[in-house]
Amino acid sequence: MADWFGKVKGHVGEANRRFDADAKQRAEAEAAAKSTILTDKMLQSGQWDSGKVLFTTLNGGVTQITANELATFRHNMQIAKKQAGFATGKGITARQVIDLASAKPLVYLSDRSDGARSDIDRARKEITMGVPVSALHDSVRFITNAGGSTPGVTRHHVTIQLMGFRNAVDAIIASGGDSAAVRREANKMRKGGLKFDCSCDRHRYFLRYVATIGGFNAGRDETGFPKIRNPGLKGVACKHVLRVMTELESSNSVLRFLERHLQGVSAYKANTTVKQTEAEEAIQSKAPARIKTSEQRKAEAAKARDRRASKRAASAPKARPPKKIDPYTRRIESALKGGSLTPDQVSQMRSWGWNDRRIANAAE
């Protein structure tokens, strides 16, 4: 059993305690007399208490915020909202999360010898598994290994809210509960719109604001602009969420879990929890799936097609070279076509013992 995983029992309470502590600390920070949180209201109006001096890392170093920085913040917000049509209430797909994490990465400041500087880099190198352990109605709870970022923390909790849950239930009811329909709807649901939340500090301080304004935040909304940690609003998901997105989209064990959850729905409600042994088997049963962008998938698919075409070409029967026709036979055929010889004449000459050379000469 993986040391990081721990117990399934109590995972909901542990996750709730972390999320509740986060919300409490956030509320206290904004209510503090010397709060430096740049709220949406302050961002829009450009006004705050004269005693507050707010800073940003927008231009590289730490500088005081001016009207120019505020304008840039608002511009960055508009760009983030327009990404893939976010803030429409339909959430984001697992595939979009992976592709955006690669296309607009938030780079870590610390250098590493292995070159893992973005969230998707670290997801590939550090986060080995994302296991669904329970689901309540339209929300699925995953546990991932922590990746060593926070001392004393071995696992993190990722919550995925599946936007297509009700439509899936409706389709299954209409089919009469057919098992093929359950599998089809579970597969459609996991590849459709979703929202997410994670218990890690990376999501909390760097990326929750992006998720909030993007319309794909499943936890508490963040209204404080990340003026120090992520003023450019780069990135989309932490390494734990990226691992979960890959497992959600492609893992057969996750698909089976979703089928099981949908089969237990009554009045659009369902509560599913795996046993400890089931979670342990899921972890030990396979190596982590590779986290691939759409471009990487296309490139690999093209290479696979080329390999199959080469294999077919190599196994195809070789075409026989055309049979050589001697010049006398060719002259006889030409004479037959031109009418200077008839088939009966050729047959008679051959009955006399004439060879093709003599017949061809006679035809001239």
Side-chain angles (χ1 to χ4, degrees):
M1 177 60 191
D3 293 336
W4 60 266
F5 184 76
K7 298 293 184 182
V8 171
K9 185 178 180 179
H11 77 276
V12 175
E14 178 186 298
N16 288 340
R17 285 191 295 275
R18 290 199 201 176
F19 289 125
D20 289 346
D22 163 35
K24 182 180 179 181
Q25 291 170 6
R26 173 62 178 78
E28 290 174 350
E30 185 169 345
K34 295 183 178 180
S35 173
T36 58
I37 293 175
L38 178 61
T39 65
D40 281 352
K41 183 177 180 180
M42 294 160 61
L43 180 62
Q44 292 166 8
S45 66
Q47 303 294 322
W48 54 82
D49 294 343
S50 58
K52 287 187 178 182
V53 180
L54 303 184
F55 296 91
T56 181
T57 58
L58 181 65
N59 301 312
V62 178
T63 57
Q64 189 171 337
I65 293 176
T66 66
N68 289 336
E69 280 72 39
L70 291 177
T72 302
F73 292 161
R74 289 189 287 267
H75 176 69
N76 290 344
M77 285 178 61
Q78 293 305 315
I79 292 176
K81 285 184 177 181
K82 289 178 181 178
Q83 291 287 342
F86 295 156
T88 61
K90 298 180 180 179
I92 189 173
T93 67
R95 182 99 310 258
Q96 285 176 319
V97 172
I98 294 169
D99 287 343
L100 281 170
S102 175
K104 46 169 283 186
L106 174 60
V107 176
Y108 282 79
L109 297 179
S110 56
D111 292 327
R112 284 181 26 158
S113 58
D114 62 4
R117 299 195 63 201
S118 69
D119 295 290
I120 196 167
D121 291 337
R122 296 199 179 190
R124 287 168 174 152
K125 294 179 180 292
E126 298 175 1
I127 311 305
T128 57
M129 190 63 66
V131 184
V133 288
S134 68
L136 181 64
H137 315 326
D138 63 352
S139 296
V140 183
R141 305 182 187 96
F142 286 77
I143 291 177
T144 77
N145 60 306
S149 300
T150 306
V153 178
T154 62
R155 66 182 188 175
H156 279 296
H157 301 271
V158 176
T159 302
I160 304 296
Q161 182 183 359
L162 298 167
M163 311 300 287
F165 176 76
R166 290 184 68 92
N167 287 340
V169 173
D170 288 341
I172 292 168
I173 293 172
S175 74
D178 178 66
S179 59
V182 172
R183 187 174 186 84
R184 181 178 63 251
E185 293 305 319
N187 193 46
K188 185 189 300 182
M189 183 174 67
R190 69 173 176 165
K191 295 182 179 180
L194 55 83
K195 299 181 180 182
F196 61 80
D197 194 13
C198 183
S199 62
C200 76
D201 287 348
R202 181 74 166 177
H203 179 74
R204 176 182 180 182
Y205 294 114
F206 292 79
L207 298 164
R208 187 188 294 279
Y209 185 84
V210 176
T212 299
I213 66 172
F216 49 88
N217 173 47
R220 69 165 181 84
D221 285 338
E222 178 55 77
T223 58
F225 191 91
K227 60 190 183 304
I228 298 293
R229 292 183 171 92
N230 189 13
L233 301 184
K234 299 292 185 180
V236 64
C238 64
K239 59 189 178 182
H240 312 101
V241 168
L242 287 166
R243 166 53 60 195
V244 167
M245 291 301 165
T246 296
E247 299 299 327
L248 174 67
E249 183 186 51
S250 59
S251 169
N252 285 329
S253 62
V254 173
L255 178 59
R256 289 192 294 270
F257 176 85
L258 294 177
E259 290 178 61
R260 174 179 164 186
H261 184 60
L262 287 173
Q263 287 168 340
V265 171
S266 176
Y268 299 104
K269 296 180 180 180
N271 194 341
T272 305
T273 303
V274 302
K275 297 178 180 178
Q276 184 72 27
T277 53
E278 292 175 315
E280 292 176 4
E281 288 173 4
I283 293 171
Q284 297 169 354
S285 63
K286 64 183 182 67
R290 288 180 57 204
I291 300 176
K292 306 176 192 175
T293 65
S294 294
E295 288 302 316
Q296 289 171 324
R297 283 183 164 189
K298 289 177 183 177
E300 290 183 5
K303 287 182 180 178
R305 286 194 298 270
D306 290 343
R307 286 194 298 270
R308 290 193 296 269
S310 297
K311 189 174 182 180
R312 285 195 299 269
S315 61
K318 302 294 183 183
R320 293 183 178 181
K323 191 174 181 180
K324 291 184 179 181
I325 302 176
D326 66 77
Y328 302 113
T329 302
R330 191 175 291 109
R331 286 165 60 188
I332 292 171
E333 291 176 352
S334 178
L336 288 169
K337 289 180 180 179
S340 57
L341 275 179
T342 66
D344 290 340
Q345 287 175 323
V346 172
S347 296
Q348 187 176 25
M349 291 177 185
R350 284 181 173 150
S351 69
W352 295 340
W354 288 18
N355 58 25
D356 286 352
R357 179 177 181 180
R358 188 173 181 183
I359 296 172
N361 289 336
E364 296 178 350

